[in-house]
Amino acid sequence: ISFGAAACHVSLVNRGGEIASCSIDHAGTWINEQLASENSQYVWDAQGRKYLDSNTMARWKSSDAARLDEVGPTDRERSLSRLYAELLKQIATTGGDAFRETLLHPGSWPAMTVVACGGPTRIRGFVPCLAQSIREADWPVRVKQIRLAEDSDLTIARGCLISAELEARTLETETALHAAA
């Protein structure tokens, strides 16, 4: 599951091949904007125009003060917990629906590892919240474990590069075979 700034993407992959996928069109930036709006956090430009101060919320969210495992007493902390729960519920439900639509015999699949990456995953307490959302969405495949990608800033780019390299090699081999025939 890739949790980006603008969107989240879920893929069910087996042996390098994508079997099912889905996306939702909001993620980290949406949480920052909602937090700024709900907490009346604004900035003004030189002409006096008012804007949501989502950057301040993003900085707070990436600090040790923001966490999902122990919700603090402030409105901002309660909002953060609620917004993450809403986002995770939506992505888990959408992913579970995509898997149910695609898989013929989901019960025959071995338990899988869910790997999450992206900026929104770095908040303390993320994994237990994601696990709870997946349980509540009743995914048709069993989940063995959930883990965070270690180098999540580059994980997607690295995976795309590897895929492109493999595809280029396959294309070169096919071209060589057609030329020889």
Side-chain angles (χ1 to χ4, degrees):
I1 307 174
S2 173
F3 291 88
C8 294
H9 185 77
V10 178
S11 291
L12 178 60
V13 178
N14 185 31
R15 299 178 189 213
E18 186 175 76
I19 296 164
S21 69
C22 64
S23 295
I24 61 170
D25 64 355
H26 59 278
T29 300
W30 174 79
I31 289 174
N32 300 341
E33 290 169 350
Q34 295 300 309
L35 282 171
S37 177
E38 291 177 14
N39 292 279
S40 301
Q41 190 78 38
Y42 299 102
V43 292
W44 288 262
D45 66 11
Q47 288 75 35
R49 289 181 293 237
K50 182 168 86 170
Y51 298 94
L52 283 174
D53 188 5
S54 57
N55 290 337
T56 295
M57 295 295 104
R59 284 190 299 277
W60 171 73
K61 203 173 72 177
S62 66
S63 74
D64 286 338
R67 50 191 308 158
L68 300 175
D69 54 353
E70 295 176 21
V71 178
T74 69
D75 288 341
R76 180 170 61 173
E77 292 164 319
R78 286 190 297 274
S79 292
L80 177 70
S81 178
R82 180 183 47 74
L83 290 166
Y84 260 92
E86 188 177 320
L87 176 67
L88 295 176
K89 178 182 180 180
Q90 187 175 3
I91 198 67
T93 301
T94 305
D97 291 346
F99 300 164
R100 272 186 279 287
E101 287 175 16
T102 305
L103 300 175
L104 296 177
H105 303 288
S108 66
W109 279 63
M112 67 176 175
T113 297
V114 174
V115 180
C117 67
T121 67
R122 294 187 187 131
I123 191 165
R124 184 187 261 160
F126 179 85
V127 170
C129 289
L130 177 59
Q132 178 66 29
S133 295
I134 290 171
R135 275 192 301 278
E136 289 172 1
D138 194 27
W139 277 13
V141 289
R142 294 180 322 277
V143 175
K144 176 174 49 176
Q145 70 174 345
I146 298 174
R147 67 180 183 83
L148 299 179
E150 290 183 31
D151 188 17
S152 58
D153 283 342
L154 301 174
T155 301
I156 301 299
R158 186 173 288 127
C160 289
L161 177 61
I162 290 167
S163 180
E165 284 292 323
L166 292 172
E167 196 171 307
R169 289 181 188 165
T170 301
L171 185 59
E172 287 174 6
T173 302
E174 289 174 359
T175 303
L177 289 173
H178 287 324

